[in-house]
């Protein structure tokens, strides 16, 4: 099972299946104290049942996301309902063994099994899974249909076309229109989301968690409060770097769009950052790149000019993993994956990786275009796939990432090795190309990675409050924008809509995929990269390291991947890096030259900006 796939939403293990609980309840719940042997027998049976149901749910979900209709949604909701019932029943039954002296593996499996929702009422459970499928599908099908000047309806724009506008347009009016158009869509499913949250909380509370946010935060081998404190601690570590980047970008956007649109201090309007959610800013690199001296190499241009096919894009990524000594992707991957957007049906285009049968049947679903962004994303997706393949030898309950942030960090780490020298080796950069220097490349990377951190923090800071009941539906947007301003330093381009649902315009909110994982991953990937580069014998600056072709680093990586979720994540981290906690230090080391440069630029720009009146 893969972190991005929906069955993972409701339980840490996502893969735990069920004995038909009631049989178990009737027979095994005798009054006698259970033995360790009973516990092991229970776990074994549970894993077998869960596996069968997980595979069934994955297949149904795959079909729905590739072909959204009322029927497919119903089939998926029913398969997920069966899985959820089983997971809940097993989780309850597992409590019976809590406190017994057990082998470490069994105790861990029992613990993982209890990190799930439990919705005992048949109707509520069915309503819950129907809402879940409906929300993901509604997001997948949403389109902005602008009205023409004469009031008639124009061509409807799906998300990928709106994202293209956000990435490429430099016309503030057009950007604002695309931004508003997309953010108006989620209102349509706000009530479903509210109902979904209520049922989800009910399911979490039945398992003894304060709410679903607390259940999510319990998936990190520490208490929910300790995890929240770790996020805050590491955010404070990296915040000065984000602040420097934000200040620099604001100066540059002010120069581009003028002081009326971009203020000298305070938040940046969200529609000017090159991305629908302002979550990563690499698309505005041309506006903020260091003047004159910057190189002009553009990977997107190269890929588009060569007419690079979606399959070729994936082949490049596969080539990286095999260069580390990992296996080639099975034939079924190429036969069954969806790599381009079909024109004849509704699909969920948000990129995802799937582990259908927990053995060989791995797939990617992604609407690939020949761009640098997608080139990086496909390396990310294959990270999920190679993790899935590496831990398939583990028992069912351990076929997962050490934590969900690990799952997200695997491919991102590999993508950090897409350096100019690597692109030259692939022939994607030639002698006539003018690559940027270190600062150019670091700035681009910071627009991707550093800009992302407060966004990831915000999404779940908001959701934790929503799940805790601290934010009422009428205040969803108020709190969303207050957090957006506090953490990201961005503002809504226009006043809030009445009863709006801006958070729901993000896939992971509509599809209810926890987001703290990406915050964790954005720190972990630098910790991983530093360790792998050391293993490869590299001793230069961290940002220039590429582990391409290094079998020694590959072995080290594979050893951690094959552990799956069998050990608490600090042990997996230690095995590879020697570190035992989440830490922003490696990221700070990677960007150190850029931080010094940004500080210098900001000082100089502050002086020249004084002449730019608001
Ligand atoms: O959703 C994803 C992946 C699939 S797990 C494409 N990402 C987050 C996002 O798009 O919001 C990758 C980075 C953040
Ligand atoms: Zn992912």
């Amino acid at each position: 099972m893969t972190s991005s796939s929906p069955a993972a939403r409701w339980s840490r293990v996502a893969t735990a299946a069920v004995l038909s609980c009631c049989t178990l309840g009737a027979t095994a719940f005798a009054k006698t104290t259970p033995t360790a042997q009973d516990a092991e027998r229970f776990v074994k049976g549970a894993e077998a049942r869960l596996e069968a149901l997980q595979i069934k749910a994955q297949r149904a979900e795959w079909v729905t996301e590739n072909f959204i209709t009322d029927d497919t949604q119903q089939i998926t909701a029913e398969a997920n309902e069966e899985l959820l019932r089983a997971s809940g029943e097993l989780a309850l039954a597992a409590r019976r063994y809590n406190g017994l002296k057990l082998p470490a593996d069994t105790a861990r499996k029992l613990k993982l099994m209890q990190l799930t929702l439990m919705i005992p009422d048949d109707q509520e459970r069915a309503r819950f899974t129907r809402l879940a499928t409906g929300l993901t599908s509604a997001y997948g099908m949403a389109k902005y249909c602008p009205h023409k000047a004469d009031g008639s309806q124009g061509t409807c724009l799906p998300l990928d076309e709106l994202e293209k506008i956000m990435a490429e347009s430099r016309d503030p009016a057009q950007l604002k229109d695309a931004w508003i158009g997309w953010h108006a869509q989620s209102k349509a499913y706000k009530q479903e989301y509210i109902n979904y949250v209520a049922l989800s909380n009910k399911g979490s509370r039945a398992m003894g968690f304060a709410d679903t946010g607390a259940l999510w935060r319990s998936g990190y081998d520490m208490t929910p409060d300790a995890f929240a404190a770790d996020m805050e601690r590491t955010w404070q570590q990296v915040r000065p770097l984000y602040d420097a980047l934000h200040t620099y970008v604001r100066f540059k956007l002010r120069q581009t769009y003028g002081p009326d649109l971009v203020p000298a201090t305070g938040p940046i309007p969200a529609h000017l950052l090159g991305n629908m959610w302002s979550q990563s800013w690499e698309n505005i690199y041309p506006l903020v790149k260091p003047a004159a001296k910057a190189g002009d190499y553009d990977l997107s241009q190269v890929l588009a000019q060569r007419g690079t096919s979606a399959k070729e894009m994936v082949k490049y990524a596969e080539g990286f993993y095999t260069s580390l000594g990992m296996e080639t992707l099975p034939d079924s991957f190429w036969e069954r994956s969806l790599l381009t957007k079909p024109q004849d049906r509704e699909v969920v285009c948000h990129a995802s990786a799937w582990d259908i049968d927990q053995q060989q049947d791995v797939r990617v679903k992604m609407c690939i275009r020949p761009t640098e962004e997608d080139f990086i994303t496909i390396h990310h997706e294959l990270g999920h796939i190679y993790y899935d393949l590496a831990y398939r030898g583990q028992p069912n309950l351990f076929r997962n990432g050490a934590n969900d942030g690990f799952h997200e960090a695997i491919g991102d780490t590999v993508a950090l090795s897409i350096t100019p020298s690597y692109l030259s080796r692939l022939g994607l950069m030639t002698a006539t190309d003018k690559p940027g220097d270190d600062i150019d490349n670091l700035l681009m990377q910071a627009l991707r990675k550093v800009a992302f951190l407060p966004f990831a923090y915000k999404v779940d800071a908001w959701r934790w409050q929503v799940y805790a009941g601290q934010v009422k539906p009428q205040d969803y947007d108020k709190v969303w924008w207050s957090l957006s301003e506090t953490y990201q330093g961005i503002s809504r381009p226009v006043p809030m809509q009445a009863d709006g649902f801006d958070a729901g315009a993000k896939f992971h909110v509509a599809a209810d995929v926890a987001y703290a994982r990406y915050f964790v991953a954005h720190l972990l990937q630098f910790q991983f990269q530093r360790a792998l580069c050391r293993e490869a014998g590299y001793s230069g600056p961290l940002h220039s390291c590429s582990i391409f072709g290094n079998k020694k680093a590959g072995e080290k990586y594979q050893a951690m991947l094959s552990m799956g979720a069998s050990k608490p994540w600090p042990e997996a981290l230690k095995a590879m890096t020697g570190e035992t906690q989440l830490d922003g230090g490696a990221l700070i080391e990677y960007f150190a030259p850029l931080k010094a440069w940004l500080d210098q630029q900001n000082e100089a720009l502050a002086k020249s900006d004084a002449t730019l009146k608001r």
Side-chain angles (χ1 to χ4, degrees):
M1 136 111 286
T2 287
S3 49
S4 52
S5 89
R9 292 172 195 148
W10 309 311
S11 66
R12 165 69 170 74
V13 290
T15 39
V18 161
L19 294 177
S20 156
C21 80
C22 312
T23 330
L24 185 85
T27 54
F29 285 8
K31 288 199 184 79
T32 53
T33 313
T35 63
Q37 242 181 3
D38 293 334
E40 286 187 48
R41 207 175 312 122
F42 166 76
V43 165
K44 217 164 165 218
E47 288 189 293
R49 292 297 301 270
L50 282 171
E51 188 165 321
L53 291 171
Q54 286 155 2
I55 293 172
K56 199 170 155 191
Q58 283 291 96
R59 285 196 202 288
E61 189 99 38
W62 172 265
V63 175
T64 303
E65 292 203 15
N66 277 274
F67 184 48
I68 310 173
T69 67
D70 284 340
D71 293 324
T72 56
Q73 288 183 62
Q74 190 59 37
I75 292 166
T76 290
E78 284 166 16
N80 279 330
E81 195 269 325
E82 249 191 292
L83 174 60
L84 181 61
R85 178 165 67 89
S87 311
E89 288 169 354
L90 280 177
L92 266 194
R95 283 178 170 174
R96 178 168 147 79
Y97 307 98
N98 289 346
L100 278 186
K101 200 167 156 28
L102 295 167
D105 273 10
T106 310
R108 181 162 175 78
K109 286 179 180 178
L110 286 164
K111 195 176 133 199
L112 293 175
M113 220 188 280
Q114 291 172 66
L115 292 172
T116 184
L117 299 182
M118 213 282 293
I119 305 182
D121 182 87
D122 288 350
Q123 279 181 0
E124 284 185 345
R125 202 173 49 246
R127 205 144 55 81
F128 176 76
T129 56
R130 192 71 183 86
L131 281 167
T133 311
L135 280 160
T136 307
S137 303
Y139 180 95
M141 291 190 292
K143 289 176 190 66
Y144 166 43
C145 305
H147 288 287
K148 291 196 199 144
D150 65 6
S152 65
Q153 196 179 293
T155 317
C156 294
L157 300 169
L159 178 59
D160 58 332
E161 287 176 36
L162 294 166
E163 282 193 81
K164 195 165 150 57
I165 295 173
M166 297 308 298
E168 292 172 7
S169 171
R170 305 295 178 229
D171 170 1
Q174 194 189 17
L175 288 167
K176 193 150 104 176
D177 184 60
W179 193 100
I180 295 171
W182 179 250
H183 282 80
Q185 301 314 309
S186 34
K187 254 176 108 148
Y189 47 80
K190 181 172 178 178
Q191 189 55 51
E192 280 75 12
Y193 184 76
I194 296 166
N195 298 344
Y196 175 90
V197 165
L199 286 169
S200 177
N201 270 336
K202 214 168 165 182
S204 297
R205 289 182 186 130
M207 277 310 297
F209 299 97
D211 56 68
T212 296
L215 165 62
W216 287 1
R217 295 191 299 279
S218 301
Y220 296 90
D221 298 301
M222 56 176 88
T223 65
D225 284 353
F227 177 67
D230 253 14
M231 288 244 317
E232 180 58 24
R233 171 181 60 79
T234 48
W235 165 237
Q236 292 305 337
Q237 269 186 297
V238 297
R239 206 177 131 182
L241 175 59
Y242 179 73
D243 287 345
L245 179 70
H246 180 275
T247 303
Y248 173 76
V249 165
R250 186 175 52 203
F251 277 132
K252 293 304 236 184
L253 290 178
R254 204 164 143 77
Q255 287 171 353
T256 306
Y257 292 111
D260 289 339
L261 214 58
V262 184
T265 56
I268 301 171
H271 62 304
L272 303 180
L273 290 158
N275 177 279
M276 185 60 84
W277 308 275
S278 318
Q279 68 179 64
S280 57
W281 303 347
E282 69 267 36
N283 293 318
I284 57 160
Y285 177 73
L287 305 183
V288 303
K289 69 180 180 185
K293 71 176 184 61
D296 60 0
Y297 178 75
D298 181 347
L299 178 58
S300 297
Q301 223 170 51
V302 174
L303 294 168
Q305 266 165 11
R306 293 188 184 187
T308 312
S309 70
K311 187 168 175 185
E312 285 167 329
M313 297 271 282
V314 188
K315 282 275 173 200
Y316 279 125
E318 182 195 31
F320 200 113
Y321 289 88
T322 53
S323 89
L324 297 176
M326 298 180 192
E327 62 198 286
T328 53
L329 293 168
D331 289 346
S332 58
F333 171 90
W334 300 103
E335 288 152 13
R336 297 174 191 175
S337 289
L338 178 88
L339 302 181
T340 50
K341 185 176 176 177
Q343 296 306 315
D344 59 346
R345 60 185 202 266
E346 299 283 1
V347 302
V348 177
C349 259
H350 189 89
S352 52
W354 299 64
D355 180 5
I356 301 284
D357 68 352
Q358 302 179 25
Q359 289 304 317
Q360 278 291 113
D361 190 351
V362 286
R363 310 175 192 175
V364 157
K365 182 174 62 57
M366 182 173 166
C367 304
I368 301 179
R369 294 165 308 144
T371 63
E372 179 170 19
E373 197 176 335
D374 282 3
F375 190 79
I376 291 171
T377 301
I378 190 60
H379 285 75
H380 172 95
E381 294 307 328
L382 290 199
H384 288 305
I385 297 289
Y386 278 99
Y387 212 170
D388 295 335
L389 292 172
Y391 58 56
R392 68 191 150 189
Q394 292 285 350
N396 175 273
L397 282 158
F398 293 158
R399 281 181 212 142
N400 210 335
N403 67 38
D404 54 10
F406 274 62
H407 230 305
E408 299 302 337
I410 305 307
D412 278 12
T413 305
V414 163
L416 289 178
S417 284
I418 305 175
T419 55
S421 70
Y422 168 65
L423 292 170
S424 302
R425 283 177 79 164
L426 288 187
L428 285 169
M429 192 182 268
T430 60
T432 53
D433 285 313
K434 249 178 54 200
D437 65 12
D438 271 9
I439 292 297
D440 298 330
N441 295 328
L442 275 172
L443 179 59
M444 181 68 162
Q445 202 63 307
L447 294 170
R448 271 189 205 113
K449 305 288 181 183
V450 180
F452 181 79
L453 290 161
F455 172 77
Y457 194 109
K458 167 191 85 172
V459 173
D460 275 3
W462 181 82
R463 255 183 321 193
W464 294 347
Q465 290 188 40
V466 167
Y467 274 121
Q470 290 156 354
V471 182
K472 301 288 176 243
Q474 64 269 28
D475 294 327
Y476 275 2
D477 279 7
K478 202 172 100 198
V479 174
W480 178 258
W481 284 104
S482 159
L483 291 167
S484 300
E485 187 164 337
T486 305
Y487 288 98
Q488 289 175 280
I490 62 165
S491 58
R492 201 175 196 278
V494 284
M496 285 177 247
Q497 355 163 43
D499 212 15
F501 185 27
D502 285 346
K506 177 67 195 161
F507 170 79
H508 301 72
V509 174
D512 199 41
V513 179
Y515 213 82
R517 68 185 62 190
Y518 300 107
F519 181 87
V520 170
H522 273 63
L523 300 176
L524 277 180
Q525 62 192 257
F526 292 94
Q527 294 180 261
F528 290 175
Q529 176 73 347
R530 184 163 64 180
L532 292 174
C533 291
R534 277 188 196 137
E535 189 69 22
Y538 176 86
S539 57
L542 189 53
H543 63 268
S544 305
C545 169
S546 178
I547 59 161
F548 179 72
N550 196 290
K551 301 277 186 300
K552 212 162 157 257
E555 268 170 40
K556 188 100 186 166
Y557 214 19
Q558 184 72 6
M560 185 190 76
L561 299 185
S562 61
M563 289 169 73
S566 62
K567 296 279 184 301
W569 69 263
E571 285 183 44
L573 182 63
K574 183 144 194 244
M576 200 170 86
T577 67
E579 300 165 65
T580 52
Q581 61 169 359
L582 193 62
D583 182 45
L587 181 144
I588 290 167
E589 180 184 331
Y590 184 99
F591 287 108
L594 181 74
K595 174 68 165 64
W597 183 86
L598 286 171
D599 288 345
Q600 227 176 35
Q601 294 295 309
N602 286 340
E603 209 175 301
L605 283 163
K607 285 186 195 129
S608 70
D609 189 77
T611 57
L612 257 182
K613 288 275 164 332
R614 191 166 191 176

